[in-house]
Amino acid sequence: MKLYGYFRSGTSHRTRIALNLKGLDYDAISINLAQDEQSEPSFKAINPQGLVPALQTDDLLLYQSPAILEWLEEVYPHNQLLPKDAAGRMQVRALSAMIGCDIHPINNRRILQYLRNELSVDEDEVLAWCQRWIEEGFAALETLLAKDESRGKFCYGNSPTFADCYLIPQVYSARRFKVDLTPYPNIMAIDEHCRTLQEFFDADPMNQPDAPH
């Protein structure tokens, strides 16, 4: 497998975590978003959207991280990242969507570049924008996590799921945008535990070959 991604991309980060949790080997191919390599014809030929990640297998090209994670779960059913029961799968998918649909997209690079370049928003206001939506999303997520009395050290149950693949990159992003994380003790406890696991450590942005060293 070849994973086209970027070290600091949250969607690439969550995909790396899932691949690692499945125990799958892949070659990392860096698409430098800071240099707009995602807009070059060579990458647009791979993904016309010009977005990372994209995952190339022997005979299939996958794009959009939610679809990639679902594909991995179906094709590689070992080390399951979704619960066996329908209600559990719904909950994990809902937690994932809270992050993947309602927090992350509003703060990704192309939105922030539009604010900066097209609307002439200054950096303090851009930072406030990011904090606003992360804090709102984390407040709701924290409430749901606190209510789940059967939850272990992860977002759901006692083993990692899609929800953890989504959460840990979003916490990394929250730190980048200087969000005060003290109001979210359950989120922080999950993050602290996950980061002790090798699969999450190896997926960390600063442990990628294209990270600045």
Side-chain angles (χ1 to χ4, degrees):
M1 294 185 189
K2 295 180 181 178
L3 179 65
Y4 297 85
Y6 183 57
F7 79 101
R8 206 162 54 192
S9 156
T11 50
S12 301
H13 189 177
R14 72 176 68 133
T15 304
R16 292 194 300 265
I17 294 171
L19 286 163
N20 292 348
L21 288 169
K22 291 290 184 181
L24 300 172
D25 293 327
Y26 60 91
D27 293 326
I29 300 176
S30 177
I31 304 299
N32 192 323
L33 304 187
Q35 297 179 7
D36 290 323
E37 289 182 357
Q38 75 279 7
S39 299
E40 295 181 1
S42 58
F43 184 67
K44 282 288 192 74
I46 296 170
N47 183 0
Q49 254 194 312
L51 298 175
V52 295
L55 183 67
Q56 178 71 64
T57 71
D58 288 337
D59 57 357
L60 188 65
L61 179 66
L62 299 95
Y63 45 91
Q64 286 290 341
S65 60
I68 294 174
L69 266 63
E70 292 280 357
W71 181 85
L72 290 171
E73 185 73 354
E74 292 180 15
V75 176
Y76 300 97
H78 60 279
N79 301 338
Q80 291 184 335
L81 299 178
L82 284 172
K84 293 182 179 180
D85 62 296
R89 291 195 299 273
M90 179 283 300
Q91 185 169 341
V92 167
R93 286 180 170 126
L95 294 173
S96 301
M98 288 176 66
I99 298 166
C101 298
D102 296 327
I103 303 176
H104 173 266
I106 308 174
N107 293 291
N108 73 13
R109 185 175 184 274
R110 61 179 181 161
I111 300 299
L112 304 187
Q113 290 297 87
Y114 181 80
L115 293 176
R116 293 177 178 119
N117 299 334
E118 302 296 329
L119 301 183
S120 301
V121 175
D122 68 33
E123 285 303 313
D124 287 341
E125 292 173 314
V126 170
L127 187 63
W129 167 278
C130 295
Q131 293 171 343
R132 163 74 168 77
W133 299 114
I134 294 173
E135 288 168 356
E136 180 178 288
F138 273 13
L141 184 61
E142 178 71 19
T143 298
L144 290 171
L145 294 172
K147 286 182 177 180
D148 185 359
E149 297 180 355
S150 64
R151 186 177 59 81
K153 293 184 177 182
F154 298 93
C155 287
Y156 180 89
N158 295 291
S159 60
T161 66
F162 284 0
D164 304 288
C165 297
Y166 278 76
L167 177 62
I168 303 313
Q170 191 60 60
V171 174
Y172 176 88
S173 181
R175 290 192 175 101
R176 279 186 59 220
F177 295 127
K178 302 178 182 179
V179 173
D180 178 9
L181 294 170
T182 54
Y184 318 112
N186 287 285
I187 289 174
M188 295 311 298
I190 294 167
D191 178 68
E192 182 177 359
H193 175 67
C194 285
R195 288 189 295 111
T196 67
L197 305 178
Q198 193 66 44
E199 295 87 349
F200 287 84
F201 178 83
D202 289 343
D204 187 88
M206 298 314 296
N207 294 328
Q208 303 315 301
D210 57 336
H213 296 98

